[in-house]
Amino acid sequence: MRNGYYHAAAAQYVRAALDDKGRPKAWHHRTVFPPIMSLFEPGQRKPGTWELDFGLTDLPYDIPSICIESGEADVHVRIGWKRSVQNIFHAFAVNSFTSELAAAAGRDHLDYLLELIGPARHIDLTQGGVTEYFNYDGPIDRYPIDTGRLTNVLKLAAQKAGWGQSLPARRGLGLAVHRSCLTYVATVIATEVSKDGKLTIPRIVMAVDPGTVVNPDRVAAQMEGACIYGMSAAVFGEITAKAGRVQQGNLHDYPVARMTDAPKEVEVHIVESTAPPGGVGEPGVPPFAPALCNAIFAATGKRIRALAIAKHDLSEA
């Protein structure tokens, strides 16, 4: 592991101007991370526009004013790709912040998020001044940014998970929704946190709209696998360095989710669609971490803004 490539670490700063009902009138998002292109262009410190297209340029919210900024970051290790790339930390910041906004407004997160996404439409990024958009190499006219599909998976996952139900103390539901690789995924996670801070995941419900599906079993398997992968990254996934040397060497000191940690039940609902096929290997990962952290907040009242989760004390005060 000390000789590998590492996914970019990121710092996100998000703020919003709200109306008298707690709805955003303006959204300001800064993202800073060492760019992948530093691997090919030594000295590169600022991400390319396509790196911002992974979950930030295409922010699917009905907000009059959206400002996206990126800054420079020193590159200390070799930066490589990780499953869903920059969508991981952008989805975490965005979905965590919408949960915080809903809580501040005294609103249900699902209702707040549906209102934030707004009416079903195809988003025209050029109206916001975006002149180039990667769109995962898919033609934008064939693979538009479709808020109707985003809303649909969000409603489906919430309905199947029993969103809004009354839960015992220190149990909670959290949700997140994200478009990546031309596919729409919503995740609802049920958590239970014991008084001594032990985290368990009884159930996960996912809804995915990847367009035309040829092999539904393969789609479900990718979503299920994304939960385990996402859990490993969100709960345990930390690389540290001391005196210029990465400390983790292998699985004995870099934990991943094992059978005793894994969710007891993962439920995947695939939306029937005639849209052209999107990807399924990566889109299941981005919503996982924010859904889990939002569920932890619902269960404990503790907000997690920095990963890994294992570093945080979730025990009852």
Side-chain angles (χ1 to χ4, degrees), residues 91-177:
F92 179 70
V94 168
N95 282 280
S96 296
F97 190 54
T98 61
S99 175
E100 296 206 26
L101 289 175
R107 298 278 305 279
D108 175 82
H109 189 202
L110 174 62
D111 293 340
Y112 189 91
L113 195 50
L114 289 171
E115 190 174 294
L116 197 56
I117 295 170
R121 66 199 185 284
H122 291 175
I123 294 179
D124 182 2
L125 295 177
T126 61
Q127 292 184 352
V130 178
T131 56
E132 295 181 13
Y133 177 60
F134 173 59
N135 205 37
Y136 305 92
D137 272 342
I140 195 70
D141 57 338
R142 191 162 185 249
Y143 293 97
I145 303 167
D146 189 334
T147 63
R149 295 173 71 184
L150 195 73
T151 293
N152 187 42
V153 292
L154 183 56
K155 287 181 175 179
L156 178 60
Q159 183 262 321
K160 295 294 184 181
W163 185 267
Q165 63 185 287
S166 179
L167 296 172
R170 298 190 67 80
R171 296 187 66 177
L173 289 178
L175 60 80
V177 64

Side-chain angles (χ1 to χ4, degrees), residues 249-277:
N250 213 314
L251 296 179
H252 70 284
D253 53 10
Y254 182 82
V256 295
R258 291 170 167 80
M259 289 182 70
T260 53
D261 306 305
K264 303 298 184 289
E265 179 183 356
V266 179
E267 202 175 292
V268 179
H269 299 275
I270 303 172
V271 175
E272 291 188 13
S273 174
T274 57

Side-chain angles (χ1 to χ4, degrees), residues 7-10 12 29 31 33 85-94:
H7 190 256
Q12 313 282 310
H29 196 135
T31 179
F33 55 91
V85 207
Q86 287 89 348
N87 282 292
I88 296 174
F89 45 72
H90 288 150
F92 179 70
V94 168

Side-chain angles (χ1 to χ4, degrees), residues 187-248:
T187 301
V188 178
I189 298 180
T191 59
E192 184 173 349
V193 185
S194 65
K195 290 185 178 181
D196 62 358
K198 180 176 173 55
L199 171 68
T200 56
I201 302 177
R203 185 177 181 225
I204 297 175
V205 177
M206 305 180 76
V208 53
D209 180 355
T212 301
V213 172
V214 175
N215 187 335
D217 287 344
R218 179 57 60 89
V219 175
Q222 288 291 337
M223 295 301 118
E224 292 164 353
C227 289
I228 304 301
Y229 188 91
M231 184 179 184
S232 295
V235 178
F236 307 111
E238 182 180 36
I239 292 290
T240 58
K242 185 177 181 179
R245 183 173 185 260
V246 169
Q247 294 178 285
Q248 292 74 23

